[in-house]
Amino acid sequence: MKDYKWWQSGVIYQIYPRSFFDSNNDGIGDINGIIQKLDYLQWLGIEAIWLSPINKSPMYDFGYDISDYYDIDPSYGTMEDFDRLIEEAHKRNIKIIMDLVVNHTSHLHKWFIKSRSSPDNDKRNWYIWRKGKNGAPPNNWKSAFGGSAWELDIETGEYYLHSFLKEQPDLNWRNSDMRNAIYKMMRFWLDKGVAGFRLDVVNWFVKDEKFRDNPWTIRPLNPERHKYDRNRPEVHQYLKELRKVIDEYDNRMTVGEVFTLPPGDPELSASFLGNGHDELHMAFDFSIMYRLWSARQFYTCIKKWYKALPPEGWPCNVLSNHDQPRSRTRFLGGSDSEKRARVAAVFLLTIKGTPFIYYGEELGMTNTRLRRSEIVDPLGKRYWPVYSGRDCSRTPMLWNSKENAGFSETRPWLPVDSNYKKINVKSQMKDRYSILNLYRNLIHLRKKHKALAVGEISAAIKGFNGSLAYFRFYEDEKFFIALNFSKKEKKIHINERGQWRVMLSTHRSNREHLTNLSLTLAPYEATVIMKIGEL
Ligand code: GLC
Ligand code: CA
């Protein structure tokens, strides 16, 4: 029997700490708030929490601009709070995964302050400095957050590179002293017992050595082809180095954010797993997040994703995160949107690969509509009203129907969604048919059955005509999952006899007994069936 790891079989839950729970009523979620909600997460059944950054930060990009990797931001708490979080989480068999933001630091990080102080100090090459060209930036690269990716530093007359805000200077991964400082910092957190890292924009770490201009295309929205500033193959040698640091410890993991624009790029994401053992343990593929609601599209996305992986590589799957609109809102469907979200939940938690759940997704939380004056995301501020930024999917977790949805006793940093009286943890916990209980039941079913957690997958109905069905199997266990993405009844017929039992369904009663796999699926039905014997 193959030995599976916790990060393969378990479910990982992403917390955006600012928005989870505010323990001291200053309007900002914090570490003690997370500790207070660990019982909820244990009840839900998750294996690990991925925390969006909690390190010290001036918050130009809400924590993705770190000014001290060895400290906790005071708005989230103290290092003692963090140590207690690890301890309390471990008591409940929950692991903590940190966000490793090392494509760039904050401009207020002491390394950068030193780096910019003169052209010949020992930190100069920890960042990317170039001379301008005829009074203009060194090349045509653009920042993902708008404008040139180069900022002129008056002091020394050179430009530094920032792939994001000018307050987020890019680190120079070609510098081995810099890399060793990062590895040392990783060991600091691994020694504390963190179970692994999510690597922020890992495919942007390394830039072209010659700083060649990027080619431009005729695509109207994103004309720049990021040939020289992203996805450089040289990154892989450094990830092999980084993997060795992780492997100094038992049982830790890494998952890379391989950030791509629509339509996504499964081959690129898969390339970050190396041979399956020598680079990252997992990487995100954004394809499904960029698709419309469609059984066929979902099918082709996962098919391509599995195919792209190295033979020993392991997939992970995700429907949303703090940079994307909430999945339920993306799936559209008007008054059927919750039904779609349920089908998506069964899909996410029964296809092969480690599922990542974005906080609130388990409640069917939707995007929050915000006014211009409420926007705080630098991207939203810059591009409003064409793009309102990412705040709409970062609003506070909805805990109950009290003021501020129980998130805080004061006005939160972002408004609470107005639908909190209907969508919240407290009321959904009590309702055994709620989407929250569907998530919980799915997670617990995965824990009981290896076929669902780590089994192989084979397609039975490939998304044509609005339905999707597949088998999962592991040793003697066999499951059949049928999903109807459409609002019409669908008849499906699979030539496979045997004794089957419904284990979980949005429409059928559990324990319903079947002697074949000819089913009439109700609109938006999602059903998980287990084989219990031969006929
Ligand atoms: C990643 C993060 C995003 C952040 C950016 C810069 O894409 O997920 O939130 O703004 O990197 O760090
Ligand atoms: Ca707080």
Side-chain angles (χ1 to χ4, degrees), residues 186-242:
M186 289 168 61
R187 291 191 187 96
F188 171 82
W189 293 101
L190 291 165
D191 286 336
K192 279 188 178 291
V194 310
F197 300 102
R198 174 258 188 192
L199 274 67
D200 192 53
V201 284
V202 64
N203 56 323
W204 301 24
F205 285 9
V206 181
K207 284 82 186 173
D208 181 38
E209 206 163 17
K210 300 199 188 110
F211 294 92
R212 283 169 278 195
D213 276 343
N214 274 331
W216 286 67
T217 67
I218 51 164
R219 277 193 316 234
L221 279 178
N222 289 295
E224 186 176 9
R225 226 186 99 216
H226 292 280
K227 185 166 177 194
Y228 294 116
D229 59 341
R230 300 180 192 172
N231 309 329
R232 299 305 305 165
E234 299 96 308
V235 72
H236 298 289
Q237 76 200 63
Y238 303 133
L239 293 178
K240 292 193 169 79
E241 214 176 73
L242 183 146

Side-chain angles (χ1 to χ4, degrees), residues 404-470:
N404 302 319
F407 165 76
S408 174
E409 282 168 23
T410 32
R411 197 175 139 203
W413 74 289
L414 279 176
V416 166
D417 198 278
S418 58
N419 61 17
Y420 72 98
K421 295 239 154 93
K422 274 185 278 166
I423 300 179
N424 67 67
V425 170
K426 190 162 181 224
S427 63
Q428 290 199 23
M429 268 176 117
K430 284 189 293 207
D431 171 5
R432 54 189 281 238
Y433 299 111
S434 65
I435 183 163
L436 174 59
N437 271 307
L438 174 68
Y439 266 91
R440 179 171 188 262
N441 292 339
L442 282 162
I443 295 173
H444 286 266
L445 196 61
R446 286 176 57 98
K447 287 189 176 211
K448 273 197 223 109
H449 299 282
K450 280 222 164 77
L452 291 175
V454 294
E456 282 309 319
I457 187 165
S458 75
I461 296 177
K462 304 185 174 178
F464 291 113
N465 200 19
S467 56
L468 179 59
Y470 41 91

Side-chain angles (χ1 to χ4, degrees), residues 256-449:
E257 181 205 20
V258 179
F259 187 90
T260 53
L261 293 168
D265 190 340
E267 281 84 21
L268 179 77
S269 294
S271 73
F272 283 80
L273 305 188
N275 67 11
H277 298 289
D278 61 349
E279 292 190 33
L280 303 182
H281 300 74
M282 298 190 284
F284 293 118
D285 167 35
F286 281 50
S287 301
I288 285 189
M289 286 200 283
Y290 291 146
R291 291 301 183 292
L292 297 176
W293 181 251
S294 148
R296 180 66 186 158
Q297 298 259 324
F298 278 35
Y299 169 77
T300 42
C301 285
I302 55 164
K303 187 180 167 200
K304 284 190 187 149
W305 181 213
Y306 297 150
K307 192 164 165 255
L309 293 167
E312 301 274 287
W314 187 256
C316 63
N317 301 300
V318 60
L319 299 177
S320 56
N321 64 36
H322 63 292
D323 295 325
Q324 304 296 330
R326 284 200 173 265
S327 57
R328 171 166 173 187
T329 301
R330 257 184 11 242
F331 296 148
L332 303 173
S335 56
D336 286 341
S337 76
E338 196 198 303
K339 292 182 185 145
R340 291 185 172 189
R342 286 172 190 256
V343 176
V346 179
F347 172 80
L348 176 70
L349 289 147
T350 59
I351 58 172
K352 183 181 172 185
T354 304
F356 280 73
I357 298 175
Y358 182 54
Y359 83 97
E361 193 171 278
E362 76 276 24
L363 304 174
M365 270 178 76
T366 59
N367 272 4
T368 302
R369 280 177 182 277
L370 299 169
R371 282 191 282 268
R372 171 66 185 87
S373 59
E374 293 167 327
I375 300 282
V376 293
D377 175 21
L379 259 182
K381 285 184 173 172
R382 180 164 183 141
Y383 291 109
W384 176 277
V386 177
Y387 172 55
S388 57
R390 301 165 292 179
D391 296 322
C392 54
S393 58
R394 297 176 174 178
T395 56
M397 178 73 171
L398 306 175
W399 292 105
N400 58 42
S401 58
K402 292 198 203 128
E403 215 185 332
N404 302 319
F407 165 76
S408 174
E409 282 168 23
T410 32
R411 197 175 139 203
W413 74 289
L414 279 176
V416 166
D417 198 278
S418 58
N419 61 17
Y420 72 98
K421 295 239 154 93
K422 274 185 278 166
I423 300 179
N424 67 67
V425 170
K426 190 162 181 224
S427 63
Q428 290 199 23
M429 268 176 117
K430 284 189 293 207
D431 171 5
R432 54 189 281 238
Y433 299 111
S434 65
I435 183 163
L436 174 59
N437 271 307
L438 174 68
Y439 266 91
R440 179 171 188 262
N441 292 339
L442 282 162
I443 295 173
H444 286 266
L445 196 61
R446 286 176 57 98
K447 287 189 176 211
K448 273 197 223 109
H449 299 282

Side-chain angles (χ1 to χ4, degrees), residues 12-17 20 30-31 34 48-54 64 72 82 85-86 95-100 194 198:
I12 302 181
Y13 186 91
Q14 182 190 356
I15 289 183
Y16 195 71
F20 201 57
D30 43 57
I31 294 172
I34 299 171
I49 297 168
W50 149 29
L51 286 178
S52 276
I54 45 151
Y64 283 92
I72 303 290
F82 182 79
L85 171 65
I86 297 254
K95 300 184 174 64
I96 302 288
I97 296 165
M98 289 184 77
D99 217 312
L100 191 67
V194 310
R198 174 258 188 192

Side-chain angles (χ1 to χ4, degrees), residues 512-529:
E512 182 186 329
H513 202 255
L514 304 163
T515 52
N516 60 47
L517 295 179
S518 295
L519 307 174
T520 303
L521 298 176
Y524 296 116
E525 173 174 343
T527 292
V528 181
I529 298 169

